[in-house]
Amino acid sequence: MQQVRVRFAPSPTGPLHIGGVRTALYNYLFARKNNGTFILRIEDTDQTRFVDGAEEYIMESLKWCGITVDEGINEGGKYGPYRQSDKKDIFRQYADLLIDKNDAYYAFDSRDQLDKLRKDADKEGKTFIYNASARNSRQNSLSLPEAEWKQRLKDGAPYVIRYRMPLNEDIHFDDLIRGHIVVNTSTLDDKVLFKSDGMPTYHLANIVDDHLMEISHVIRGEEWLPSLPLHIMLYRSFGWDAPLFAHLPLLLKPDGEGKLSKRDGDKMGFPVFPLYWPYGETAKGYREEGYYPEAFINMLALLGWNPGTEKEIFSMSELIDAFSIDRVHKSGSRFNPEKAKWFNHQYLMQRTNKQLAIEFREFLRIQGFHHDIGQIETLVGLVKDRVSFVSEIWNETDFFFKSPETYDKDAIKKRWKPETPAQLLELKEVLAGIEDFKPDAMESKVKSWIEAKGYNTGAIMNAFRIVIVGASRGPHMFDIISWLGKEETLKRIDKGVSVIGKSL
Ligand code: GLU
């Protein structure tokens, strides 16, 4: 196979959608798997859609995901510039080349004229197409006398350069995912290649750059498939070999009805961007929501590709080993927010208690709790199987750090019996007599006491939980009190019995 060179070519028009991150990821996996080169190219020739901060956002997102760029604006490389607006003159030369070959022409129609034609066609239920059948009645270098259009150019009249799409010709091409495709040119228009603002359009810049950068495979979103016939024609006009193409399936809404959008995320409470977007209309990001980049990447990789086995947890290097384009799906992949959390939970469970303690300590510090890391380690070990995010550890452990201020009314109604206060005070004496405040030792002593007294274990333990935790939740009781220590445990029994007693 020829040297693999692939590119991720986003336009800096706002935050990078997770569908875009997936495109970058598949390109990256393909490059690494084939000892190829992964290029980041910024396609910013549409000045009207340019958004400040977007370019940096793209780079930071890839970095957070662990997708390393081989050639790009920051990395350099032999095929630069890697930002298209930095080479508009080069694109202009290629547009001129097509004019010389008579495969492109100057068009002078104003925006108002074209808008009117579109509206008139709409009224008749038709679509206006600027193509072979329409171009002769328009203002361009194919329809006007040569002297006239040359004069217009000399006078500095605004113009665009359009591709001269042949009439009624079948274009055949292949897509690595979609297979063989045939499109007849009569459905295609004479697309603008170069605009009156001196910038190339996406189509021209994209083809020229892919050629100049010696791109071997174009792996991109399915929304670009309709542009492919034009791209194939452009390659033909230039006399260049086209790269191979793979158009990735769409990322769909959770209900499968249409493309996943920011609004779906806002409505259902999940991010559709990798990082928080801080400009204008701000948006949530996976990073800030507490996702591990490894979990995010693992989830994305499986949205549109499968390894052919049941295995779901993949590190980046395992993804590189397993990835192949022929296992990319043809149909769209539904985004599943619950599955995203599930992936994060899996990665959280893989972390050592020490790592989690270090991450969780930061939350505690912000709330003013400064506990020894060893203590926090024990704590996270008790609750990690119940959480998907480090931030959720707090909801599971708040009562470790503060004695209950209120006691759950429903729990009291259900669990608090007239004999409970006396039993809990007895339990307090039993615990007071235990030297080694370790879960197992305590458990066996308390159980023998309950047995000797003929009490009901459930009744005692449930009431005990209410005074210690404030509600019917939390991990194993003896793990909790061992962590709290004797003094705090006994205090909580006294306080609970007294406060609940007064409330009844
Ligand atoms: N600039 C295009 C985008 O924003 C790139 C399409 C392509 O990869 O050819 O998605």
Side-chain angles (χ1 to χ4, degrees):
M1 188 156 60
Q2 127 195 50
Q3 171 65 20
V4 166
R5 290 179 56 82
V6 292
R7 83 308 192 267
F8 176 50
S11 297
T13 54
L16 178 62
H17 188 275
I18 55 173
V21 181
R22 190 195 56 175
T23 301
L25 175 65
Y26 286 10
N27 273 284
Y28 172 77
L29 296 176
F30 186 73
R32 290 289 170 270
K33 165 114 192 187
N34 295 291
N35 295 318
T37 304
F38 174 68
I39 297 152
L40 174 63
R41 182 170 80 216
I42 299 294
E43 299 204 330
D44 60 343
T45 60
D46 189 347
Q47 302 279 288
T48 59
R49 294 180 63 222
F50 181 82
V51 171
D52 242 348
E55 193 176 292
E56 293 74 13
Y57 181 95
I58 291 165
M59 293 172 184
E60 202 184 330
S61 299
L62 296 186
K63 197 162 161 211
W64 180 68
C65 292
I67 298 176
T68 48
V69 174
D70 301 317
E71 289 177 25
I73 296 169
N74 296 334
E75 298 71 18
K78 286 193 306 209
Y79 297 80
Y82 293 92
R83 187 191 286 113
Q84 289 186 328
S85 61
D86 291 341
K87 58 203 267 192
K88 49 183 190 212
D89 297 342
I90 298 178
F91 297 123
R92 175 65 211 224
Q93 288 165 20
Y94 284 95
D96 289 342
L97 199 73
L98 290 182
I99 290 192
D100 292 346
K101 292 184 165 202
N102 204 20
D103 277 350
Y105 60 90
Y106 301 103
F108 302 95
D109 317 87
S110 70
R111 185 173 298 248
D112 289 349
Q113 284 166 341
L114 294 175
D115 280 349
K116 185 172 179 317
L117 289 165
R118 278 191 202 106
K119 276 194 197 124
D120 291 348
D122 270 358
K123 272 187 218 143
E124 290 175 39
K126 292 186 189 145
T127 315
F128 170 69
I129 309 190
Y130 201 126
N131 64 1
S133 51
R135 72 173 82 105
N136 284 343
S137 42
R138 307 269 54 85
Q139 313 266 308
N140 56 55
S141 56
L142 299 178
S143 62
L144 299 169
E146 188 171 340
E148 183 175 345
W149 64 257
K150 284 202 166 150
Q151 190 57 45
R152 285 199 190 192
L153 289 183
K154 233 194 231 155
D155 295 345
Y159 66 87
V160 298
I161 298 176
R162 283 179 184 271
Y163 185 66
R164 186 182 187 211
M165 187 60 82
L167 187 66
N168 195 19
E169 195 179 304
D170 281 341
I171 313 175
H172 291 258
F173 50 91
D174 292 296
D175 183 85
L176 296 172
I177 296 166
R178 314 254 129 204
H180 189 71
I181 302 171
V182 186
V183 174
N184 189 281
T185 53
S186 42
T187 60
L188 305 172
D189 54 352
D190 290 355
K191 275 271 179 295
V192 174
L193 300 179
F194 208 87
K195 295 171 290 181
S196 49
D197 64 0
M199 279 287 192
T201 57
Y202 155 72
H203 302 291
L204 179 73
N206 187 272
I207 262 49
V208 169
D209 246 353
D210 281 348
H211 172 72
L212 296 178
M213 293 183 177
E214 295 180 28
I215 298 301
S216 60
H217 296 74
V218 169
I219 304 170
R220 63 183 171 193
E222 187 182 87
E223 62 274 27
W224 299 106
L225 194 57
S227 301
L228 189 51
L230 167 67
H231 295 181
I232 297 286
M233 290 304 290
L234 284 168
Y235 279 105
R236 223 193 266 177
S237 293
F238 283 119
W240 299 333
D241 285 340
L244 298 177
F245 291 95
H247 286 84
L248 306 174
L250 291 177
L251 274 194
L252 304 176
K253 296 178 193 299
D255 65 7
E257 301 291 320
K259 204 168 145 180
L260 181 68
S261 72
K262 175 171 183 295
R263 279 193 28 226
D264 302 316
D266 290 347
K267 251 195 324 214
M268 296 176 65
F270 60 83
V272 297
F273 304 113
L275 314 180
Y276 176 70
W277 172 257
Y279 311 103
E281 195 192 330
T282 58
K284 283 190 195 178
Y286 278 83
R287 180 177 67 184
E288 291 72 14
E289 293 301 297
Y291 279 82
Y292 293 119
E294 299 85 358
F296 173 67
I297 282 298
N298 193 157
M299 168 208 62
L300 266 190
L302 291 170
L303 276 176
W305 167 83
N306 75 78
T309 64
E310 294 297 301
K311 182 173 153 81
E312 288 191 283
I313 301 300
F314 286 87
S315 66
M316 188 67 105
S317 65
E318 288 173 322
L319 285 173
I320 292 169
D321 277 349
F323 188 76
S324 72
I325 289 190
D326 43 283
R327 289 207 162 274
V328 173
H329 307 160
K330 273 198 179 62
S331 51
S333 305
R334 276 182 203 212
F335 178 75
N336 178 346
E338 288 312 310
K339 191 77 191 200
K341 289 186 192 157
W342 179 86
F343 273 108
N344 212 59
H345 174 70
Q346 303 303 315
Y347 279 83
L348 186 142
M349 291 301 285
Q350 281 182 13
R351 290 176 114 71
T352 63
N353 291 349
K354 178 141 200 182
Q355 282 173 314
L356 288 174
I358 292 168
E359 291 165 26
F360 181 50
R361 189 166 58 172
E362 193 47 27
F363 285 84
L364 292 175
R365 193 186 60 76
I366 292 166
Q367 303 201 51
F369 299 107
H370 304 280
H371 284 258
D372 170 67
I373 197 77
Q375 275 182 301
I376 301 173
E377 229 178 291
T378 318
L379 193 61
V380 296
L382 297 178
V383 299
K384 70 178 190 182
D385 57 346
R386 299 158 184 247
V387 300
S388 298
F389 303 97
V390 168
S391 60
E392 286 176 354
I393 296 177
W394 173 252
N395 309 334
E396 299 293 328
T397 57
D398 52 342
F399 55 85
F400 282 91
F401 301 95
K402 8 179 229 196
S403 170
E405 273 144 32
T406 57
Y407 298 88
D408 184 69
K409 285 205 179 64
D410 290 338
I412 293 171
K413 215 164 136 195
K414 220 158 116 194
R415 313 285 189 196
W416 204 263
K417 302 280 176 301
E419 62 277 18
T420 302
Q423 288 176 340
L424 288 180
L425 294 175
E426 250 186 78
L427 170 61
K428 182 187 152 197
E429 292 315 312
V430 175
L431 294 171
I434 299 177
E435 277 311 310
D436 186 20
F437 223 63
K438 293 276 172 335
D440 291 348
M442 276 193 284
E443 181 160 7
S444 72
K445 292 223 166 95
V446 169
K447 290 247 161 93
S448 350
W449 162 71
I450 292 177
E451 226 166 85
K453 291 285 181 156
Y455 294 153
N456 175 317
T457 311
I460 302 260
M461 294 312 290
N462 287 326
F464 187 29
R465 185 175 289 278
I466 295 176
V467 293
I468 299 295
V469 174
S472 303
R473 66 185 172 101
H476 190 53
M477 268 319 289
F478 293 100
D479 286 335
I480 300 178
I481 60 168
S482 169
W483 194 89
L484 290 175
K486 194 192 278 188
E487 200 189 326
E488 176 68 11
T489 303
L490 304 189
K491 254 203 237 160
R492 287 193 189 188
I493 298 179
D494 277 338
K495 181 178 154 194
V497 167
S498 140
V499 175
I500 296 172
K502 278 186 212 144
S503 74
L504 295 172

